[in-house]
Amino acid sequence: MTKDQKNEVIELLKEKFSQYNNFYVTNTESLTVAQISDLRRACFDKQVEMKVAKNTLIRKALESLDAEKYSDVYESLNNVTALLFSENPKEPALILSSFRKAGNVQKPELKAAFINGDVFSGDASLKALTQIKTKNELIGDVIGLLQSPAKRVLAALLHHHEKQAEGTTAAAE
């Protein structure tokens, strides 16, 4: 790979890191070509971008953006690395766990996840990442909580009104 090609890859990675607040660093070592193709297809179907690059180029791209912000990610840059970029912080975790379950394999292994400024290291955090709530899910929960008391008040008023109506018809008879 020439220096110009390396610089081109670094610029592409910098663009992706700037575009997305969430990315996963995975180990795809020992996966077959067919498995990698299946993983790429699963990512494409869920609007998750998958990029494979050399660890040194990934590190240079991260350092040129903000060396301190991404410092916890550097230790995960070893072996064969695939990056998963997504707007939804939960989607790559769901893809990885369903891919593993479907193929009954332990790879791809999660090395690190950078989600809105927080770093989750190690494969053990994959299960927790599948259970985090997205922004839209949190908004839905808040709206549900706000609607609940109002619904109870309306139900109580309707019930009271129905009882009054029953009392009026009974008195009229």
Side-chain angles (χ1 to χ4, degrees):
M1 188 177 253
T2 66
K3 187 171 181 130
D4 289 338
Q5 290 172 325
K6 288 179 183 179
N7 287 335
E8 193 175 306
V9 170
I10 290 171
E11 287 303 313
L12 175 81
L13 289 172
K14 282 172 51 177
E15 207 174 279
K16 293 296 174 196
F17 289 127
S18 298
Q19 180 182 354
Y20 294 99
N21 289 329
N22 312 304
F23 64 89
Y24 284 55
V25 181
T26 63
N27 180 2
T28 55
E29 190 174 24
S30 76
L31 289 179
T32 66
V33 173
Q35 288 173 319
I36 293 286
S37 295
D38 290 344
L39 181 61
R40 283 185 185 277
R41 195 172 302 108
C43 289
F44 182 78
D45 291 343
K46 301 286 186 172
Q47 287 83 36
V48 174
E49 287 191 54
M50 181 176 167
K51 298 286 181 206
V52 178
K54 291 185 173 188
N55 293 318
T56 54
L57 299 180
I58 295 169
R59 185 179 180 121
K60 285 181 181 182
L62 290 171
E63 286 175 343
S64 66
L65 287 173
D66 189 345
E68 195 170 311
K69 180 180 178 182
Y70 299 110
S71 63
D72 292 338
V73 177
Y74 301 149
E75 64 192 43
S76 66
L77 298 175
N78 51 41
N79 298 331
V80 178
T81 300
L83 299 168
L84 303 177
F85 297 96
S86 176
E87 290 293 331
N88 181 343
K90 185 179 185 176
E91 204 61 52
L94 293 173
I95 291 170
L96 291 175
S97 59
S98 65
F99 182 83
R100 289 163 138 190
K101 198 176 286 181
N104 200 20
V105 292
Q106 292 301 312
K107 300 277 179 157
E109 179 183 338
L110 178 68
K111 294 196 272 184
F114 185 86
I115 298 175
N116 296 324
D118 294 324
V119 177
F120 298 86
S121 296
D123 199 49
S125 57
L126 182 63
K127 185 173 182 187
L129 291 170
T130 61
Q131 296 171 347
I132 62 173
K133 292 195 179 224
T134 64
K135 181 180 176 182
N136 290 340
E137 290 172 334
L138 289 173
I139 290 171
D141 287 351
V142 169
I143 289 172
L145 289 172
L146 292 174
Q147 286 179 338
S148 181
K151 285 180 181 177
R152 281 195 219 127
V153 168
L154 286 174
L157 289 173
L158 287 173
H159 181 69
H160 179 68
H161 180 69
E162 287 172 359
K163 280 206 172 216
Q164 278 185 334
E166 284 175 12
T168 308
T169 56
E173 290 175 359

